[in-house]
Amino acid sequence: MSGAAAPASRPLPLVIVGASYAGTQLADSLRRLGYDAPIIMLGDEAHAPYQRPPLSKGLLNGKSSVESLALKGPDYFREQDIELRLGTRAVALDPGHRTLTLADGSLLPYGELALATGARCRPLPLPGANLAGIYPLRTLDDALALDAALSQAHRACIIGGGFIGLEAAAALTGRGLAVTLVETHPQLLSRSLPTPMARYLEQKQRDNGVDIRLGQGVRQLRGAGGRVTGVELNDGTVLACDLVVLGNGVQPNDELARQAGIACDNGILTDAFGRTDAPHVYAIGDVANTLQPDRPGLPRHLRLESIQAANDGARAAASALAGNPEPYTGAPWFWSDQFALKLQMAGLALPGDETVIRGDRESDRFSVFYLRHGRIAAAHSVNRPGEHMLSRKLIGAAVAATPALLRDETFDLKQLLASG
């Protein structure tokens, strides 16, 4: 008499380290592609995956609620058979044995692994950096703590003139605080924007009451009674304040990969599908330094800190994991909200690009196109969302154009797509 057949054992899970945009997009894309292996997502925060851009925009100015930040509905993970483990941190990775060590000492085996660990605020190695009243702005808890402090604050100092710093300056000014922003470089957004666009945003910040100090480093943070009372600059100037926001940049959370011997350089190095040099280990999102399509003048590997890059990189990784690799080849894009301005960026502008302005800068509704070898390589649009969406297509198709056509607002740019 023969016995019943033993049930087939389930395959080892795909483990996603990071309950982030990239991690959530990867899991969602895989389920849509029919991937039926178990998926476990580890998040070291107590919160289910949430949107990060509103933390420095809508949440601080009251236009977004905490509830509206959720990336997925409360039943999504259960319905998609995705095991979400919150408050769980991975502390070690063994690619040879395909195991993760968790903070509680337990081992978690995996069949495939995706590192979506993101980035964290850079430390501020200065005297006084541990005083109360100093706030990073990266996580939901960071934003909630800052939001709670605003009702008792009057003067804020923001350290760092990148997008987070400028968005925070706009939000805090709108909440009635006097805001001073300090930037070490002689230009705001020196890593992100060409000088003319950076100067335009600087002037708009000043016009709205933000006191901007360029080319100034911070020597120390002063305090009394354990709380911050001022920021001392390198030239000895002391900026009185009762609240400090750190906008001095981020660094990738690539420690798990580095300790496991996986190649890293400003993040975890991957191919176009998020594959690292360790078998069965992927990296996606802000932590990944990913191979890019070959574009003249641009490096082949880039670590792009944007929702678009996280989502598109996750989709590419999902296609590889599902057995039908399809790299993402679209133009990078990003946006920033400051006061009444919506700045939307597509492509990556380089020094030497020919600059063409379409529209009137004084009206705060215009686009700047960047031509490289006669083709549209990048575009920055202010309060022109339709033109931004079109520019992404033009850049992706490497469309040729002349400055005269781009400047002419009577010319329909869609015709450039038709002409190739």
Side-chain angles (χ1 to χ4, degrees):
M1 183 176 179
S2 61
S9 60
R10 293 194 80 187
L12 286 172
L14 162 69
V15 176
I16 302 171
V17 184
S20 58
Y21 267 100
T24 302
Q25 183 65 66
L26 176 62
D28 185 70
S29 295
L30 283 169
R31 288 298 189 238
R32 292 176 184 271
L33 292 171
Y35 186 87
D36 59 4
I39 298 177
I40 298 173
M41 182 183 295
L42 309 179
D44 58 5
E45 295 183 56
H47 306 286
Y50 58 86
Q51 302 176 61
R52 289 190 188 275
L55 300 184
S56 58
K57 304 178 178 77
L59 193 66
L60 291 182
N61 63 25
K63 295 181 180 179
S64 300
S65 66
V66 172
E67 293 73 22
S68 70
L69 302 185
L71 284 179
K72 297 293 183 182
D75 300 325
Y76 168 82
F77 295 96
R78 174 182 54 79
E79 291 170 351
Q80 295 298 319
D81 192 23
I82 300 166
E83 183 182 347
L84 181 61
R85 299 187 189 180
L86 300 176
T88 303
R89 186 166 58 92
V91 297
L93 164 61
D94 183 346
H97 292 92
R98 291 205 225 179
T99 59
L100 280 172
T101 302
L102 305 183
D104 64 5
S106 62
L107 286 181
L108 177 60
Y110 63 84
E112 305 287 344
L113 178 69
L115 299 174
T117 47
R120 64 185 182 276
C121 292
R122 291 187 182 279
L124 192 67
L126 295 173
N130 294 323
L131 290 165
I134 300 173
Y135 297 89
L137 188 50
R138 180 70 183 175
T139 68
L140 177 54
D141 287 338
D142 291 339
L144 292 174
L146 174 58
D147 182 64
L150 294 182
S151 62
Q152 302 298 318
H154 303 283
R155 300 188 65 85
C157 184
I158 296 174
I159 299 176
F163 283 114
I164 293 295
L166 293 175
E167 290 169 0
L172 269 58
T173 299
R175 294 281 294 269
L177 277 71
V179 176
T180 302
L181 184 145
V182 180
E183 167 55 48
T184 303
H185 292 92
Q187 174 189 312
L188 297 175
L189 299 159
S190 58
R191 291 175 52 243
S192 307
L193 291 180
T195 298
M197 183 58 76
R199 294 298 189 203
Y200 167 80
L201 292 177
E202 175 191 340
Q203 189 58 53
K204 294 302 172 182
Q205 289 274 337
R206 293 185 187 277
D207 290 345
N208 281 278
V210 180
D211 180 4
I212 296 177
R213 310 292 180 96
L214 296 175
Q216 290 281 4
V218 176
R219 179 183 296 168
Q220 65 176 326
L221 291 97
R222 293 189 174 189
R227 291 195 60 84
V228 68
T229 59
V231 173
E232 182 178 339
L233 305 182
N234 284 340
D235 65 2
T237 301
V238 177
L239 305 173
C241 62
D242 44 22
L243 183 148
V244 171
V245 178
L246 302 181
N248 56 318
V250 299
Q251 60 190 48
N253 294 322
D254 59 6
E255 289 77 11
L256 275 177
R258 286 184 180 277
Q259 292 164 7
I262 296 172
C264 295
D265 181 12
N266 183 32
I268 305 171
L269 292 171
T270 80
D271 68 5
F273 303 99
R275 295 179 291 214
T276 72
D277 65 351
H280 309 288
V281 179
Y282 292 70
I284 52 178
D286 287 4
V287 76
N289 192 346
T290 302
L291 183 68
Q292 302 293 311
D294 191 5
R295 297 186 178 101
L298 292 175
R300 290 309 310 275
H301 274 84
L302 286 173
R303 190 175 67 81
L304 297 169
E305 299 166 8
S306 73
I307 302 310
Q308 169 262 337
N311 285 338
D312 294 335
R315 291 188 185 99
S319 73
L321 283 161
N324 186 25
E326 293 185 11
Y328 180 78
T329 58
W333 57 270
F334 182 72
W335 84 97
S336 178
D337 295 335
Q338 301 172 36
F339 300 106
L341 306 178
K342 177 174 282 294
L343 169 65
Q344 294 172 288
M345 295 150 277
L348 298 170
L350 293 176
D353 289 346
E354 186 174 6
T355 302
V356 183
I357 299 177
R358 181 180 177 89
D360 180 14
R361 282 173 48 128
E362 296 303 315
S363 71
D364 296 330
R365 291 190 69 256
F366 65 96
S367 292
V368 182
F369 288 90
Y370 301 88
L371 293 174
R372 193 174 307 148
H373 308 302
R375 298 187 179 273
I376 300 174
H380 297 150
S381 298
V382 175
N383 294 334
R384 285 195 171 187
E387 216 155 76
H388 164 72
M389 295 299 293
L390 179 59
S391 72
R392 283 157 53 178
K393 297 178 182 179
L394 296 171
I395 295 163
V399 165
T402 65
L405 278 181
L406 294 176
R407 288 192 190 97
D408 183 0
E409 293 196 82
T410 67
F411 175 74
D412 186 353
L413 295 179
K414 293 178 183 177
Q415 295 183 42
L416 294 174
L417 286 174
S419 64

